[in-house]
Amino acid sequence: MKILAIETSCDETAIAILKCEGDPSSTLGAGERNATFTVLGNALLSQIEIHKEYGGVFPALAKREHAKNLVPILEAVLEEAELLHEDTQAIPEEVRATVSEILAREPGLTEAFFEFVSECETPDIDAIAVTSGPGLEPALWVGINFAKALALIWNKQLVAVNHMEGHILAALAKESTNTPPFGTRLNLVINGVELPVLALLISGGHTELVLMKEWLEYELIGQTRDDAVGEAFDKVARMLGLPYPGGPEISRLAEQNRASRRRLGTVSEGAEEEHGSAIILPRPMIDSMTCDFSFAGLKTAVLYLLKKIPDINEKEKQHIAHEFENAVTDVLWKKTAQALKETGAKTLVIGGGVSANTHIRRVFKENISREFPDVSLNIPSAELTTDNAIMIALAGFYRASRQSQPAGGSTDFIANGNLSLAKKP
Ligand code: KG4
Ligand code: ZN
């Protein structure tokens, strides 16, 4: 089946079309988990430059930008997928009225929408998947309403997707060179996934450990009690005078500090990280018995530290970034290791924007091969780490055969900013 997927949960407007092969509803052992995907079209427009001056994502602005970008992105993606065929499409009055109602709260979108759909054939796709949560509700609504309007005009199945499930599946998908060649198209495969899967989801809004005991059924193992880890990166970056988003900025400074220490060549990386820095930040809840996290104290510790350094220089910023990143990584690893032991998970997945972090990726790879050699570690490729629509299509494929139910949600296609994958048992 061909799925058109739409993602607008935060500050990226993304659309992708995937050809999906496999039987997502198979009850034959692991059959339902196996599928191959060809990315026929994929486009993403990041709003980071627009939100930068506000130091974070500004929901009303995100909504406006999504509304402006959706039609041009859809056109580009259909074209790339060779599914765009010009034709005049007469839209019956009553359908036009319903669609106008659906899009009434998305100023600027209605006119572009009608202009586009009345000039092209219904594309050869089977379903439209859209993120219904979690995320910023005004931003989510634009994508949902756009998807609803398209599904109505083109008479397609509508599938609501949980954004976090998308992050998990993106991590489980591997680039494939075995599937038939489709020119330069990206081929992905999900197969051989050994259950249970433990997922560490780390993004701007989430920090949680989720267990998938049965395929696509989730149990919450641990979560942050205050700030999400990406939020902590962004806030600390702001305190250091670095632009939004802060994660990549902190990572850059921390890596510079590691490199300059290595250049000094006096101590190995491990030893220097234990003893070499005069700056020591706390590792909140690291020794607690739960798999929950807390990052607010770490952020406050940086704030107090900065008060003692009024004229901070670049080197001191690098030091703080380095120690902050080490503290976060230590906590993430310790809790993940604890959860792996408690659950006996055979597969570990790391997903969400923060999983782009070089240091976190490196530490997890090293520690897994040393301490849990039988656990298979899955981290998404760089392209699939940040929010994108490919991951929404992957989840949409598996959800399409499950009565359009988003994980943890309802079939009503409403935006749910707090949609969660699982409740604590
Ligand atoms: O998943 P995502 O793209 O959006 C949300 O759903 O939140 O995650 C965005 C978060 C931001 O907080 C950003 O600072 C963080 O991911 N991030 C990073 C890195 N790249 C992005 N954090 C640490 N290191 C990075 N390299
Ligand atoms: Zn995300």
Side-chain angles (χ1 to χ4, degrees), residues 186-265:
L186 172 68
N187 291 305
L188 297 168
V189 57
I190 294 183
N191 67 15
V193 176
E194 269 203 89
L195 299 173
V197 174
L198 178 71
L200 171 67
L201 299 174
I202 41 179
S203 70
H206 284 80
T207 300
E208 56 194 25
L209 280 160
V210 170
L211 187 70
M212 196 204 286
K213 243 192 233 163
E214 297 296 331
W215 185 238
L216 306 188
E217 287 176 22
Y218 305 95
E219 195 180 292
L220 189 63
I221 301 296
Q223 65 185 328
T224 183
R225 295 191 176 173
D226 38 59
D227 291 354
V229 63
E231 194 181 349
F233 267 99
D234 293 338
K235 285 178 178 166
V236 166
R238 206 173 172 165
M239 291 177 207
L240 293 172
L242 303 167
Y244 173 85
E249 297 290 325
I250 299 260
S251 171
R252 185 175 54 81
L253 291 192
E255 288 295 317
Q256 281 170 356
N257 205 50
R258 287 189 189 97
S260 64
R261 285 194 186 183
R262 269 196 302 271
R263 268 198 307 278
L264 289 174

Side-chain angles (χ1 to χ4, degrees), residues 20 23 74 100 153 196 264 274 283 337 339 356 359 366 394 401 412:
C20 316
D23 180 2
L74 174 66
S100 299
I153 295 269
L264 289 174
E274 263 179 53
R283 270 79 173 146
H359 184 65
E366 283 169 10
L394 300 178
S401 66
D412 292 333

Side-chain angles (χ1 to χ4, degrees), residues 143-166:
I144 292 173
N145 287 334
F146 185 64
K148 270 185 180 173
L150 282 178
L152 193 74
I153 295 269
W154 290 340
N155 193 23
K156 303 292 177 192
Q157 182 190 359
L158 192 56
V159 186
V161 166
N162 183 311
H163 180 90
M164 303 316 283
E165 184 164 73

Side-chain angles (χ1 to χ4, degrees), residues 327-343:
V328 166
T329 310
D330 285 352
V331 174
L332 291 176
W333 170 253
K334 184 84 189 289
K335 297 292 168 184
T336 305
Q338 191 172 325
L340 282 173
K341 279 184 201 134
E342 279 176 19
T343 62

